[in-house]
Amino acid sequence: MSQSTLDDDDLFGEAANEMRSDVEEHLEAARDELPDPDAIWDVEADNTLGVLNALRSELDPGEAETHLRDAKKWYTMGERADAFDDAGDLEDEIDAVEGVITDLSAAREQVSDLAGTVPEIRSALESADEESESDE
């Protein structure tokens, strides 16, 4: 094997290690950007709509999605280059973070729908109450 080949192999090994580090760093950054569990559980507001709006804000995954995308990008590149000896742990971590972000987004959408419905229900109840009072 020539010196050039050894250098190429060494460089490839270095690049593979850097790719793995990039994936791990982006996954850690994504986890760090996820909402604090207590912030979702302990929402304070003066009324139901306030609680829903506060909850919707707290369910925002924020920059976690961007970091996850970067982790997946580097992971995919490393996988296609066959640069990782064992990437099962990275794949599992990516799937776990992606699952949390998916759940957050789905919950945020449900809360948004409810936040739009609650004022309508209140208005309908107020109208029904006014009609009931006028009938008396």
Side-chain angles (χ1 to χ4, degrees):
M1 199 179 274
S2 71
Q3 183 63 33
S4 173
T5 305
L6 287 175
D7 290 341
D8 289 347
D9 288 345
D10 289 342
L11 290 173
F12 186 80
E14 268 184 59
N17 288 336
E18 288 175 13
M19 272 192 264
R20 183 175 185 85
S21 291
D22 283 347
V23 172
E24 290 169 346
E25 287 171 15
H26 284 296
L27 284 170
E28 184 177 338
R31 283 189 298 271
D32 289 345
E33 289 293 324
L34 293 173
D36 183 317
D38 290 337
I40 290 172
W41 193 255
D42 297 328
V43 176
E44 294 183 27
D46 293 331
N47 57 45
T48 302
L49 188 57
V51 168
L52 292 172
N53 285 329
L55 180 57
R56 179 177 46 203
S57 294
E58 292 299 331
L59 289 170
D60 184 1
E63 291 297 311
E65 291 174 307
T66 302
H67 290 294
L68 176 63
R69 184 179 189 285
D70 288 341
K72 288 174 78 171
K73 176 177 60 177
W74 289 112
Y75 174 79
T76 301
M77 214 168 143
E79 275 293 288
R80 287 191 182 163
D82 199 25
F84 304 132
D85 290 331
D86 179 26
D89 61 327
L90 293 177
E91 186 176 10
D92 291 345
E93 286 184 56
I94 287 171
D95 289 345
V97 172
E98 188 170 35
V100 171
I101 290 173
T102 299
D103 290 347
L104 284 169
S105 296
R108 189 167 199 248
E109 188 175 317
Q110 291 171 354
V111 170
S112 292
D113 290 346
L114 192 54
T117 303
V118 168
E120 293 172 8
I121 292 172
R122 180 179 183 207
S123 180
L125 290 171
E126 287 174 341
S127 293
D129 191 41
E130 288 172 5
E131 287 180 24
S132 174
E133 288 176 5
S134 68
D135 289 343
E136 291 176 9

